[in-house]
Amino acid sequence: MRSDLQAIVAALKGSGSTAILSHVHPEGDTLGSALGCHLTLKALGKEVATFNPDPVPKNLRTLPGAAEVIRADRLPRPFDCYLVVDATDPSRVGGLLSEVPAGSLVINIDHHISNTHFGTYNWVDPEAAATGEMIYHLIEEMGIPLSREVATNLYVAILTDTGSFHYANTTARTLRVAAALIETGVVPQDVATMLFDQREVEELRFLGTLLTRLQLSSDGTMAWIEVTRETLERERVSRDALEDLINYPRSVGGVEVAFLFKEEDGAGVRVSLRSKGQVDVAAVAKAFQGGGHKNAAGCTVVGSLPEVRERIFQEVRRHFTRT
Ligand SMILES: [Mn+2]
């Protein structure tokens, strides 16, 4: 693991041009990590371009460097090096890696335990709260001083993936990294305002409607919200509005596993899972070809919403009995 980190440092320093790839439906960790690397390589005088198949969410458009993220389904040309951040496998970056020439230098930096080690060099640390926490160590290893702009991106990455230092992945190391980032001039209040306090009233009213549909299992250990295609079409709210919806069922006292079921445009249902207790939701998601972390995971399952819900609950119950 350590030697891969050193090889990564050498590869990044030795490459003339680098393409940074972040995962579909980008959030704070993948974009913060990508932009932290982007600004660092740029400061070194390297040619660098950051890509994502989807648009940057509204609340992340003021991240330093965010305006430079290129939305693309395919890479426009070859690069010396491809740096993939926060992606468990190549499919997570859409088609961005699909036309990369065989034998290309691919660097894979991620903290998902389910990472498939698809790179030439792989640095996968499931103990890291966020990929952004790893990027902090990468930049340290490169011997480059952190600018406030880079630090802001990494702080956003960590704040996102720890649920504002809420989740079980928050460690002393995470907080030490956060403190070092703040020491460069990052203002926690400003970042929190940028990330969480820019909502539109319509979004919150819609949230109110959805919360009236929150359901609880008879034993009180599971809570969930279902969002149908019809609701999404009728309300015409952006995906951003649903981003932290799962935190509401998760926040119910006594609940150990929370779910968000969302009907997709195709035949599938997108399932997000959160665990507050011992249930390993990454293992549940994996049974449906999904992935994630022990406490936060997701998968897409083909079937009607009630069918999918029952299949997921059955799988979760197996994991309850094991713990
Ligand atoms: Mn992450």
Side-chain angles (χ1 to χ4, degrees):
M1 207 85 92
R2 191 81 197 155
S3 61
D4 261 11
L5 172 57
Q6 258 122 34
I8 289 168
V9 168
L12 288 173
K13 285 188 166 173
S15 296
S17 66
T18 301
I20 302 176
L21 316 183
S22 45
H23 68 66
V24 293
H25 307 311
E27 35 67 278
D29 190 25
T30 199
L31 282 177
S33 297
L35 290 171
C37 293
H38 181 99
L39 297 175
T40 299
L41 291 174
K42 210 174 154 182
L44 280 180
K46 301 285 182 191
E47 191 188 329
V48 58
T50 293
F51 297 92
N52 196 284
D54 289 313
V56 173
K58 199 179 56 190
N59 64 342
L60 298 176
R61 282 181 205 151
T62 45
L63 280 180
E68 293 181 43
V69 177
I70 300 165
R71 186 181 176 188
D73 296 318
R74 296 278 186 275
L75 291 180
R77 62 182 182 82
F79 289 80
D80 293 343
C81 169
Y82 304 87
L83 169 60
V84 188
V85 288
D86 201 41
T88 45
D89 63 82
S91 75
R92 288 288 288 152
V93 296
L96 289 174
L97 277 173
S98 61
E99 284 163 24
V100 164
S104 295
L105 177 58
V106 176
I107 297 174
N108 164 23
I109 302 181
D110 185 29
H111 67 132
H112 294 90
I113 199 161
S114 50
N115 189 285
T116 60
H117 294 251
F118 57 87
T120 317
Y121 297 120
N122 302 281
W123 182 31
V124 177
D125 181 5
E127 301 284 305
T131 300
E133 187 181 309
M134 301 172 70
I135 302 299
Y136 170 83
H137 295 297
L138 171 73
I139 295 171
E140 198 178 39
E141 196 70 28
M142 289 175 91
I144 301 164
L146 273 182
S147 68
R148 184 161 66 112
E149 288 70 30
V150 169
T152 299
N153 277 299
L154 302 183
Y155 187 82
V156 164
I158 293 170
L159 205 62
T160 302
D161 268 24
T162 58
S164 302
F165 308 119
H166 228 87
Y167 304 149
N169 58 0
T170 307
T171 63
R173 184 175 78 166
T174 313
L175 291 172
R176 274 190 209 103
V177 170
L181 298 173
I182 291 167
E183 274 162 358
T184 70
V186 174
V187 181
Q189 185 187 8
D190 293 351
V191 174
T193 302
M194 171 180 83
L195 283 184
F196 309 118
D197 300 338
Q198 293 196 77
R199 306 192 81 147
E200 286 167 17
V201 165
E202 290 72 24
E203 261 181 44
L204 285 173
R205 290 188 179 134
F206 176 54
L207 179 64
T209 312
L210 293 174
L211 288 179
T212 61
R213 301 187 203 152
L214 193 150
Q215 300 183 67
L216 193 65
S217 62
S218 53
D219 66 354
T221 59
M222 304 199 291
W224 67 97
I225 295 178
E226 298 175 3
V227 183
T228 62
R229 204 174 297 122
E230 190 215 329
T231 305
L232 283 173
E233 280 162 12
R234 197 180 53 230
E235 301 284 342
R236 289 208 195 128
V237 282
S238 74
R239 235 192 130 87
D240 300 359
L242 303 175
E243 201 49 57
D244 57 0
L245 184 59
I246 194 166
N247 286 330
Y248 293 92
R250 185 189 176 280
S251 69
V252 176
V255 162
E256 290 188 42
V257 188
F259 310 84
L260 177 64
F261 297 98
K262 189 166 75 72
E263 280 183 341
E264 297 282 274
D265 291 334
V269 176
R270 179 71 199 166
V271 186
S272 304
L273 304 101
R274 297 289 182 274
S275 167
K276 283 199 291 192
Q278 290 311 307
V279 176
D280 179 354
V281 289
V284 176
K286 205 175 167 203
F288 298 92
Q289 283 75 51
H293 307 285
K294 185 182 174 220
N295 295 107
C299 53
T300 300
V301 187
V302 175
S304 72
L305 212 154
E307 276 164 23
V308 170
R309 189 211 310 126
E310 278 323 301
R311 287 180 61 195
I312 293 278
F313 283 3
Q314 260 176 27
E315 185 65 26
V316 169
R317 285 195 194 98
R318 288 185 40 219
H319 289 265
F320 262 119
T321 52
R322 267 191 217 159
T323 53

